[in-house]
Structure formats: C-alpha cells, structure tokens
Amino acid sequence: MAGVIDGLLRRIAEFHRSRAVVPEYPMVAAVLDALDEVRSPALVEARYLPVLRHLDAVQLCGDGAVDAVLEEFLALAPALPWIQTAGYRDVLSQDFHDNYGYVQLIGPTSIVEHRSVRVGIGVWGPNLHYPSHHHEAEELYHVLAGEPTFTSGDGVPRTAGPGGAVHHAPWQPHQQDFGATPTVLLYCWTGEVVTDAALVDGDC
C-alpha cells in the first residue's frame, strides 16, 4: 500500500523545482534529496487541533505549483497528526494555541523520520501575532495561502503572498503577524533540526 503522504511529498518537491532558481537557496538541495528519498508509512494516526476549523476559509491562489501542494494538503489535513511546539504551552496564550498548529512531515519524531531535514506545513488563524523566536536550524518558508508579515533582524516588516519565500539564517530572531485570512506556510529546516524553536526573551 502506498504511503499516506507520498503524494504530498512529491508535490512539495515539484513545487521547489518550479521556482525560478533551483535550488532557490543552497539549503533546498538537501531538502530535495530528502523528499526524493523518503517514503511515508501507509498508516498515520490523526490528531485534531482547533486550528483545523480555519481550513474551510483557505483559498487557492492560481499559481499551479502552489495550489497543487495546497490542494493535496487540504485533502489530507483531517487525517494528519497535528502538533504544537511544546515549549510554547505555558508561555503563549490560549488564543494563540487555539489558532495555530502544524504537521511535521519529515524530521525527528515526524511522520517520516529524518535527522538533518525538517519539512512541514503550518496553519495560523487570522490576525494572530507570533512573537519573536529563533532556532539553530536554517529555515525557508514559502507562503501557500494568506499574506503574513515577517520581521527579522533588520526590524523591517515584509509582507509575503502565496509563492513568496522568506529565509532565516541559524539563530536569526524573527516574528510573524498574520493577516485577515488564514495563513498556510510550507517550512523547511536544515542543519541542527532536532531542537524546536524557542521564544526570544522579553517578547512573548
């Protein structure tokens, strides 16, 4: 029996290869190697989070490669194991926790185990502020839906729409503000991917 997320992993690889420069960032080469090599298990145990209620409001954007990932993800979403960052549980508000969650497709303790690459998709509800945080891994976000605003080291807010990319170097603090519609982000980590993100002191 085919793996439950193999089609989604294939769509994500196709998406990365559709960008204007391949690899778009050098780290994408390692991500593509992982996507091309891994196979998912045939069975995955679903885990529900309240953020799933926002998925009905997610809109396609008309970019074929973006929409292919998004459609595959939306079809699978209710059957996937949704999680949240453990270190945020006693720090961020209940409202924040009711309006975010992600699925880790590849990585440590993920659907597909991998020790040096993380690939996943996260969802954030409207008008949510994600305080400044950082992590040792290098990170690349692609916006699949919504218009989030990212603020990183230089303090200049930058809004990205579907298909847009945002890159963070290891330990680079960054924060997000989410717009009036739900945001869906494809994320990739490389390097030291075992340790989760942590909030930057004084911004929570």
Side-chain angles (χ1 to χ4, degrees), residues 8 27 31-32 42 54 88 99 105 111 116 121 151-152 154 157 168-169 182 189 191 199 204:
L8 179 57
M27 66 175 288
V31 173
L32 284 170
H54 292 301
Y88 295 171
N99 288 282
L105 304 169
I111 297 174
S116 60
I121 296 178
T151 306
S152 54
D154 60 7
H168 298 119
W189 284 16
L199 297 173
C204 54

Side-chain angles (χ1 to χ4, degrees), residues 15-68:
F15 167 78
H16 281 296
R17 291 192 169 97
S18 76
R19 301 298 90 185
V21 178
V22 179
E24 186 175 20
Y25 291 87
M27 66 175 288
V28 174
V31 173
L32 284 170
D33 284 346
L35 288 166
D36 290 342
E37 292 170 4
V38 301
R39 294 295 179 269
S40 75
L43 297 175
V44 173
E45 184 176 351
R47 180 170 181 263
Y48 176 85
L49 287 178
V51 71
L52 270 72
R53 72 190 189 279
H54 292 301
L55 294 180
D56 288 343
V58 171
Q59 301 289 320
L60 302 181
C61 70
D63 180 321
V66 172
D67 287 349

Side-chain angles (χ1 to χ4, degrees), residues 110-122:
S110 303
I111 297 174
V112 179
E113 185 73 18
H114 202 289
R115 303 303 292 176
S116 60
V117 168
R118 281 200 202 195
V119 177
I121 296 178

Side-chain angles (χ1 to χ4, degrees), residues 30-195:
V31 173
L32 284 170
D33 284 346
L35 288 166
D36 290 342
E37 292 170 4
V38 301
R39 294 295 179 269
S40 75
L43 297 175
V44 173
E45 184 176 351
R47 180 170 181 263
Y48 176 85
L49 287 178
V51 71
L52 270 72
R53 72 190 189 279
H54 292 301
L55 294 180
D56 288 343
V58 171
Q59 301 289 320
L60 302 181
C61 70
D63 180 321
V66 172
D67 287 349
V69 176
L70 193 54
E71 286 184 304
E72 190 89 23
F73 168 68
L74 292 174
L76 289 173
L80 296 177
W82 288 79
I83 58 175
Q84 296 175 325
T85 302
Y88 295 171
R89 287 177 188 151
D90 297 325
V91 182
L92 297 182
S93 69
Q94 187 61 48
D95 180 65
F96 187 89
H97 282 87
D98 286 344
N99 288 282
Y100 102 102
Y102 57 96
V103 177
Q104 192 157 279
L105 304 169
I106 300 175
T109 63
S110 303
I111 297 174
V112 179
E113 185 73 18
H114 202 289
R115 303 303 292 176
S116 60
V117 168
R118 281 200 202 195
V119 177
I121 296 178
V123 178
W124 288 262
N127 305 312
L128 202 65
H129 173 67
Y130 187 177
S132 184
H133 54 286
H134 61 183
H135 38 73
E136 190 171 353
E138 183 177 5
E139 176 179 65
L140 180 62
Y141 276 122
H142 280 97
V143 181
L144 301 181
E147 292 191 337
T149 297
F150 296 81
T151 306
S152 54
D154 60 7
V156 179
R158 294 179 175 85
T159 299
V166 178
H167 177 264
H168 298 119
W171 295 121
Q172 180 181 6
H174 49 284
Q175 62 183 16
Q176 287 106 281
D177 289 280
F178 300 101
T181 59
T183 295
V184 183
L185 298 177
L186 168 66
Y187 67 86
C188 303
W189 284 16
T190 59
E192 175 45 67
V193 302
V194 174
T195 305

